[in-house]
C-alpha cells in the first residue's frame, strides 16, 4: 500500500470572515474548489489559542499542545534567569514534542518549510527530518541572508549631485528635486531585519513604547533614498549617442552603479540599463518601464564584506523625454547563505531547481503605487517561489509529509488592516480594496496546490490567527506592549523611568522603584525579590499587588465610549483555564476587549473587528481520508490539527498532545 502523504498548508493571518465573504463573492475561486473537494466548518473557522500571535500559535499547530504546555507563550520571551527579553522562535524553548519528530521517527520523509514556531534549530537528528528556516516570519532566509534596506531612487535633470539618505522616504511621491542629501550614517539594520532577527534586550535597556513605534504598525516605515542627476551620457565604452546617464547607489551608498536611460524605436525613453561601471560592455540588467524584475544578481555588502546577492527592481516612473525617473529596489538576498538549512545541501538543491530565495517587501506604507506594484508584487513572486519549492520537494525529492507556512497576509495586513475603517493617506475604500487583493493573491497561492490533491496528497489548510480593525479609535498600545514598557504602566505608577539632571524621563527603567512591568503582549511581570535580579516586591505582597493591578486594569476606560478596554485579567495560575500561564508567562495575563484590539496578539482568539474582520483562524481539509464537499458543526481547535494529521498518516500522537482528531470530517 502506498504511503499516505500530507501537506499542512499554513497561511499566517488568514481570517475566515474575510475569506468566506470573498469566496462567496466569487473572488477566491481556488479556495471554493478546495472546499468542494474537502471539509470544513460552515463558517470555515477554527478556534485558536491565546495569545493570538505567530510563535505560540504555530507551535500549538505543530504539537497539539497549548502554550501552557509547550512553553512558547508570546512573541517575546521574558528570560528571568538572564534578565533579558528575547525573540521567541527558538525550538530549544519548546517543552512539547513536534509532529515532525514523530513522522520522521516513523520512517516518513518529512520536510519543515519555514514554520515559524519551534522548528529551528531542528528538534531531532533523525535522517528523515529536513528543516528550512523558521527563525522569523518574513520568508525563507530573510532573517539571515537579507541585507541592506529597500530603497527608492529618484533621478532628475534638476538634481545636481548623487546622494544617499537613510530612511528618507515613506511613499513613492518623493520629489525629484532634492538637495542636502549627504550620505547618512548606517543604521545597522533594515526595518524588516529589525523585526525578524532574534531580539535580545536587557531589561534595563527597555524604552518607552509609543503607538507609532510599534512593529505591528508598518504603514509609515521609511525607506532609504538615492537622488541622482540625469545628464547626457559621457565617458562610456559603448553608449548610444542619445542615451542619458544617472547613478544608482546600493549598500548605503558604498556601491555605485552606472546607468543608461535608453530610447525605444519611437524615440521615447522607456528603459534603464544598469552597468557595473562605464567601461562594462554588458549590463547587469535592463529594466523596462513599469515591469517588475526579480533576481537581479549583483554585489551587496554583508558584515563589511562584498557578496553576490539577488534583488528585485521596478521602474515606477520614467518621463518620455528622460528628464525624470523613479524606481524601487528591494533588499538584497545572500543566496549562498545556508545558515538555516538542514541539511545545508538543501539550499543548493532548491536554488538549482527552483531559484533563489526571494526578498519580501514592506515598503508599501500608505502609498497605493508601492503597495500594488512593489509590496504585493514581491509577495506574488515569493508565493510562486514557495509553491514551486514545495511542489518540487513533493514531486522530485520524495517527501511524505510537508509542514509549510506563508506569511503574506499578516505582513501586508500590518500595512492596511488598521485603516479599513478610518483610512490613512488613502481613503478607507482604497484600503479595503487593497486588503481584498491580498486575499485574492492568497487564493492564487492556494490554487498552486490543487494539483497535489489529484496526486493523492491530503492537504490541511490552516492559519494561526486573523487580523482585526478596531471599532474605536483608542490608543491600546499604551497597554499592549511588544518587548518594551507601555506608557499606561507608568501612568498607573507601577513602572518608573530614570531621570536626567533636569528631571526629564530617560529611556531606562528604574528597577529600584518599579514594582511591575510589561515585556510582551498580554503579560505583566511583578518585579519580585528572589526571582528577578533587581526585584523589590516581597513575595508575601505579591498576591495583593496583583489584585491592585488587575483592579486598575479593569478601571481603564475609553474616553469616548466610557467602556472598559480590558476584557479579562487573570493571575498566572488562573490563566491555565485558557491554555496559558506557567513559568514562561507573566504573573498577570490580560486581554483587550473587542472593539479596542489592535490588529492581533492582544485579545481572545474568538473576537471580531469591524469591516468584516476577525482574529479567528481558518481550517479546511481536502484529499484522501477527508469527506468531500462536507460541512461540520464540530468546533475545531488549534490543538486538533496535529492529532488529525497524525491520524491521517497512521502515526502516534506527539507526547504532550492535548487535542483530538476531527473525526467528523474523516472519510
Amino acid at each position: 500500500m502506498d504511503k499516505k502523504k500530507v501537506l499542512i498548508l499554513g497561511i499566517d493571518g488568514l481570517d475566515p470572515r474575510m475569506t468566506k465573504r470573498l469566496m462567496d463573492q466569487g473572488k477566491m475561486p481556488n479556495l471554493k474548489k478546495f472546499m468542494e473537494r474537502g471539509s470544513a466548518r460552515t463558517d470555515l473557522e477554527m478556534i485558536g489559542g491565546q495569545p493570538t500571535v505567530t510563535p505560540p500559535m504555530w507551535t500549538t499547530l505543530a504539537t497539539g499542545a497549548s502554550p501552557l504546555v509547550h512553553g512558547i507563550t508570546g512573541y517575546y520571551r521574558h528570560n528571568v534567569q538572564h534578565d533579558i527579553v528575547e525573540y521567541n522562535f527558538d525550538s530549544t524553548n519548546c517543552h512539547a514534542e513536534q509532529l515532525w519528530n514523530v513522522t520522521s521517527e516513523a520512517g516518513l520523509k518529512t520536510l519543515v518549510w519555514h514554520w515559524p514556531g519551534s522548528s529551528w534549530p531542528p528538534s531531532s537528528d533523525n535522517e528523515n527530518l529536513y528543516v528550512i528556516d523558521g527563525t522569523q516570519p518574513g520568508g525563507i532566509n530573510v532573517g539571515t541572508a537579507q541585507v541592506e534596506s529597500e530603497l527608492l531612487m529618484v533621478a532628475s535633470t534638476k538634481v545636481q549631485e548623487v546622494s544617499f539618505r537613510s530612511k528618507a522616504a515613506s511613499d513613492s511621491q518623493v520629489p525629484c528635486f532634492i538637495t542636502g542629501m549627504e550620505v547618512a550614517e548606517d543604521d545597522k539594520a533594515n526595518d524588516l531585519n529589525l523585526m525578524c532577527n532574534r531580539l535580545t534586550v536587557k531589561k534595563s535597556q527597555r524604552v518607552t513604547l509609543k503607538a507609532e513605534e510599534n512593529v505591528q504598525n508598518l504603514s509609515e516605515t521609511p525607506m532609504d533614498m538615492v537622488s541622482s542627476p540625469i545628464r547626457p551620457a559621457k565617458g562610456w565604452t559603448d553608449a548610444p549617442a542619445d542615451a542619458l546617464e544617472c547613478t544608482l547607489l546600493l549598500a548605503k551608498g558604498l556601491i555605485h552603479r552606472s546607468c543608461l536611460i535608453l530610447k525605444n524605436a519611437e524615440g521615447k525613453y522607456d528603459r534603464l540599463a544598469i552597468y557595473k561601471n562605464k567601461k562594462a560592455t554588458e549590463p547587469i540588467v535592463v529594466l523596462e518601464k513599469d515591469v517588475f524584475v526579480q533576481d537581479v544578481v549583483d554585489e551587496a555588502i554583508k558584515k563589511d564584506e562584498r557578496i553576490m546577492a539577488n534583488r528585485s527592481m521596478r521602474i515606477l516612473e520614467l518621463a518620455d523625454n528622460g528628464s525624470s525617473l523613479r524606481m524601487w529596489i528591494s533588499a538584497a538576498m545572500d543566496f549562498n547563505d545556508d545558515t538555516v538549512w538542514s541539511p545545508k545541501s538543501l539550499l543548493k538543491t532548491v536554488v538549482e531547481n527552483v531559484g533563489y530565495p526571494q526578498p519580501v517587501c514592506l515598503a508599501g506604507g500608505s502609498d497605493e503605487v508601492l503597495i500594488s506594484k512593489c509590496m504585493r508584487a514581491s509577495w506574488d513572486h515569493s508565493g510562486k517561489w514557495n509553491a514551486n519549492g514545495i511542489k518540487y520537494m513533493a514531486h522530485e525529492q520524495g517527501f511524505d509529509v510537508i509542514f509549510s507556512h506563508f506569511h503574506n497576509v499578516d505582513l501586508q495586513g500590518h500595512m492596511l488592516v488598521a485603516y479599513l475603517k478610518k483610512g490613512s493617506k488613502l481613503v478607507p475604500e482604497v484600503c479595503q480594496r487593497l486588503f481584498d487583493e491580498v486575499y485574492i493573491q492568497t487564493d492564487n497561492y492556494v490554487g498552486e496546490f490543487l494539483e497535489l490533491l489529484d496526486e493523492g496528497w491530503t492537504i490541511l489548510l490552516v492559519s494561526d490567527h486573523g487580523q482585526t480593525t478596531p471599532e474605536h479609535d483608542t490608543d491600546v498600545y499604551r497597554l499592549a506592549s511588544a518587548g518594551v514598557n507601555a506608557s499606561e504602566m507608568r501612568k498607573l505608577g507601577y513602572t518608573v523611568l530614570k531621570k536626567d539632571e533636569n528631571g526629564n524621563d530617560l529611556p531606562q527603567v528604574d528597577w529600584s522603584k518599579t514594582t511591575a512591568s510589561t515585556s510582551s503582549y498580554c503579560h505583566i511581570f511583578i518585579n519580585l525579590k528572589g526571582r528577578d535580579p533587581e526585584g523589590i516586591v516581597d513575595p508575601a505582597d505579591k498576591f495583593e499587588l496583583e489584585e491592585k493591578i488587575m483592579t486598575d486594569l479593569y478601571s481603564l476606560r475609553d474616553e469616548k465610549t466610557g467602556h472598559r478596554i480590558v476584557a479579562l485579567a487573570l493571575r498566572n495560575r488562573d490563566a491555565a483555564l485558557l491554555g496559558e500561564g506557567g513559568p514562561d508567562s507573566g504573573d498577570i495575563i490580560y486581554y483587550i476587549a473587542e472593539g479596542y484590539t489592535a490588529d492581533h496578539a492582544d485579545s481572545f482568539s474568538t473576537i471580531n473587528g469591524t469591516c468584516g474582520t476577525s482574529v479567528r483562524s481558518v481550517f479546511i481539509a481536502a484529499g484522501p481520508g477527508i469527506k468531500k464537499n462536507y460541512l461540520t458543526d464540530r468546533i475545531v481547535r488549534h490543538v486538533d490539527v496535529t492529532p488529525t494529521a497524525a491520524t491521517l498518516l497512521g502515526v502516534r500522537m506527539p507526547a504532550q498532545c492535548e487535542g483530538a482528531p476531527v473525526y467528523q470530517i474523516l472519510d
Side-chain angles (χ1 to χ4, degrees):
M1 181 178 177
D2 292 338
K3 289 182 180 178
K4 295 179 181 179
K5 296 179 180 292
V6 170
L7 165 64
I8 300 183
L9 191 62
I11 301 174
D12 199 286
L14 193 65
D15 173 0
R17 290 184 80 196
M18 289 278 295
T19 300
K20 190 173 188 307
R21 172 178 64 82
L22 292 169
M23 189 175 67
D24 290 345
Q25 292 174 359
K27 295 180 179 179
M28 299 185 76
N30 290 313
L31 197 73
K32 185 175 182 181
K33 292 177 184 177
F34 188 81
M35 282 278 298
E36 290 170 347
R37 299 181 67 171
S39 299
R41 272 182 54 87
T42 306
D43 50 15
L44 312 186
E45 291 182 1
M46 173 169 60
I47 295 179
Q50 282 79 223
T52 51
V53 73
T54 297
M57 295 302 92
W58 287 108
T59 302
T60 291
L61 289 166
T63 62
S66 64
L68 171 64
V69 174
H70 62 59
I72 307 298
T73 59
Y75 200 91
Y76 301 100
R77 180 171 177 262
H78 181 104
N79 189 326
V80 175
Q81 289 183 334
H82 295 91
D83 188 29
I84 57 175
V85 177
E86 59 187 358
Y87 210 46
N88 208 12
F89 289 76
D90 193 333
S91 67
T92 61
N93 292 328
C94 180
H95 310 316
E97 184 181 31
Q98 298 92 339
L99 180 59
W100 48 75
N101 290 353
V102 175
T103 57
S104 58
E105 172 195 279
L108 300 176
K109 191 174 182 181
T110 302
L111 173 66
V112 184
W113 180 278
H114 191 221
W115 189 276
S118 301
S119 68
W120 190 269
S123 45
S124 169
D125 58 4
N126 191 290
E127 62 181 7
N128 292 315
L129 180 62
Y130 298 72
V131 181
I132 302 173
D133 208 337
T135 59
Q136 40 65 43
I140 287 179
N141 269 21
V142 163
T144 58
Q146 183 162 302
V147 296
E148 304 176 10
S149 297
E150 296 180 67
L151 60 90
L152 283 175
M153 175 183 173
V154 294
S156 171
T157 54
K158 297 180 180 180
V159 175
Q160 300 301 311
E161 296 180 349
V162 179
S163 53
F164 175 90
R165 178 175 288 177
S166 181
K167 311 304 176 192
S170 60
D171 58 49
S172 65
Q173 299 305 310
V174 289
C176 282
F177 180 60
I178 299 174
T179 59
M181 296 284 290
E182 69 281 353
V183 176
E185 182 180 354
D186 188 352
D187 61 1
K188 297 183 181 179
N190 66 61
D191 295 285
L192 183 60
N193 279 340
L194 180 64
M195 183 183 69
C196 291
N197 285 339
R198 169 179 287 279
L199 173 72
T200 302
V201 181
K202 277 284 188 181
K203 284 172 60 180
S204 59
Q205 295 173 338
R206 289 188 221 143
V207 296
T208 305
L209 178 72
K210 297 179 181 178
E212 64 270 18
E213 294 172 350
N214 194 281
V215 295
Q216 282 199 329
N217 184 4
L218 299 172
S219 61
E220 297 301 325
T221 300
M223 290 174 289
D224 293 346
M225 194 177 76
V226 172
S227 181
S228 173
I230 294 177
R231 298 174 178 138
K234 293 182 179 180
W236 288 76
T237 297
D238 184 18
D242 54 3
L244 302 174
E245 68 178 28
C246 59
T247 302
L248 171 62
L249 301 181
L250 302 170
K252 301 295 182 184
L254 298 176
I255 295 176
H256 290 228
R257 291 292 177 250
S258 301
C259 305
L260 288 177
I261 303 173
L262 303 172
K263 284 183 177 180
N264 59 21
E266 299 175 355
K268 296 179 180 179
Y269 290 95
D270 70 340
R271 62 196 189 280
L272 181 77
I274 302 175
Y275 292 79
K276 185 172 183 178
N277 52 51
K278 290 185 178 183
K279 294 181 180 180
T281 56
E282 293 294 328
I284 295 168
V285 66
V286 177
L287 305 175
E288 295 182 7
K289 183 178 178 179
D290 203 27
V291 176
F292 189 98
V293 179
Q294 64 184 117
D295 293 336
V296 179
V297 176
D298 194 5
E299 291 180 319
I301 294 180
K302 183 179 182 181
K303 297 181 180 178
D304 299 325
E305 294 184 5
R306 295 210 174 202
I307 62 166
M308 296 305 295
N310 58 299
R311 297 179 177 87
S312 300
M313 298 183 181
R314 188 168 199 157
I315 295 176
L316 302 173
E317 176 187 312
L318 176 55
D320 290 345
N321 64 3
S323 62
S324 63
L325 172 137
R326 287 186 177 91
M327 66 178 292
W328 164 83
I329 301 95
S330 77
M333 294 285 285
D334 176 4
F335 49 71
N336 290 312
D337 191 315
D338 59 7
T339 304
V340 289
W341 295 70
S342 177
K344 292 183 179 297
S345 59
L346 267 182
L347 174 60
K348 182 179 179 182
T349 299
V350 170
V351 167
E352 290 179 349
N353 293 280
V354 183
Y356 301 126
Q358 294 296 300
V360 293
C361 173
L362 288 182
S366 295
D367 183 282
E368 187 173 359
V369 170
L370 290 178
I371 290 172
S372 297
K373 295 189 175 184
C374 301
M375 182 175 75
R376 192 168 66 246
S378 77
W379 285 99
D380 285 341
H381 288 278
S382 179
K384 186 69 174 177
W385 181 85
N386 271 274
N388 287 343
I390 293 167
K391 289 188 293 185
Y392 171 78
M393 292 297 191
H395 292 147
E396 306 298 332
Q397 294 295 313
F399 283 97
D400 304 302
V401 190
I402 300 176
F403 296 78
S404 73
H405 151 271
F406 189 44
H407 215 88
N408 69 316
V409 177
D410 179 82
L411 282 179
Q412 292 178 92
H414 289 324
M415 296 281 188
L416 296 164
V417 73
Y419 304 107
L420 300 184
K421 179 181 179 182
K422 66 181 181 180
S424 56
K425 294 177 182 178
L426 305 171
V427 298
E429 292 76 16
V430 172
C431 294
Q432 292 165 14
R433 173 177 57 78
L434 292 171
F435 199 35
D436 285 358
E437 289 171 359
V438 173
Y439 275 71
I440 293 169
Q441 175 189 75
T442 305
D443 186 69
N444 294 332
Y445 180 70
V446 172
E448 293 280 349
F449 299 97
L450 293 179
E451 64 187 68
L452 293 184
L453 294 178
D454 299 326
E455 297 167 10
W457 282 77
T458 302
I459 301 176
L460 306 183
L461 175 63
V462 301
S463 67
D464 57 336
H465 58 73
Q467 294 172 283
T468 58
T469 302
E471 176 71 29
H472 307 290
D473 190 13
T474 285
D475 179 13
V476 296
Y477 284 126
R478 63 186 182 175
L479 185 62
S481 173
V484 287
N485 280 277
S487 60
E488 201 64 35
M489 291 297 288
R490 300 199 324 276
K491 292 179 182 178
L492 294 172
Y494 299 110
T495 300
V496 180
L497 299 183
K498 293 181 179 179
K499 306 285 186 181
D500 63 17
E501 63 274 11
N502 298 317
N504 299 314
D505 286 339
L506 292 172
Q508 288 186 320
V509 176
D510 186 344
W511 293 102
S512 67
K513 300 177 181 178
T514 292
T515 56
S517 66
T518 60
S519 62
S520 187
Y521 292 106
C522 303
H523 295 266
I524 294 175
F525 291 85
I526 305 300
N527 191 22
L528 197 65
K529 285 182 181 179
R531 182 188 70 182
D532 294 293
E534 300 173 82
I536 64 171
V537 177
D538 192 300
D541 299 327
K542 180 174 180 284
F543 186 92
E544 185 60 31
L545 178 59
E546 290 172 344
E547 189 66 32
K548 184 176 185 302
I549 292 172
M550 290 188 289
T551 300
D552 285 342
L553 292 179
Y554 284 126
S555 71
L556 296 175
R557 295 288 186 269
D558 176 65
E559 294 178 358
K560 294 181 180 179
T561 66
H563 296 165
R564 60 188 171 88
I565 66 170
V566 172
L568 183 66
L570 297 167
R571 287 187 174 84
N572 182 293
R573 71 185 186 203
D574 300 324
L577 296 168
L578 296 174
E580 290 204 78
D584 300 297
S585 293
D587 298 298
I588 295 171
I589 297 171
Y590 66 88
Y591 308 95
I592 299 296
E594 185 167 310
Y596 302 95
T597 57
D599 204 316
H600 68 93
D602 58 359
S603 69
F604 293 130
S605 61
T606 53
I607 66 100
N608 293 330
T610 190
C611 300
T613 60
S614 82
V615 80
R616 301 165 192 256
S617 304
V618 167
F619 176 85
I620 311 171
I626 302 295
K627 293 177 182 177
K628 293 183 178 180
N629 201 21
Y630 179 77
L631 297 175
T632 180
D633 293 328
R634 155 78 181 262
I635 294 176
V636 182
R637 304 176 188 275
H638 274 190
V639 293
D640 298 333
V641 172
T642 284
T644 301
T647 299
L648 289 165
L649 289 164
V651 299
R652 67 173 176 83
M653 302 296 167
Q656 291 76 25
C657 181
E658 299 173 88
V662 186
Y663 294 109
Q664 292 79 357
I665 69 170
L666 299 180
D667 186 3

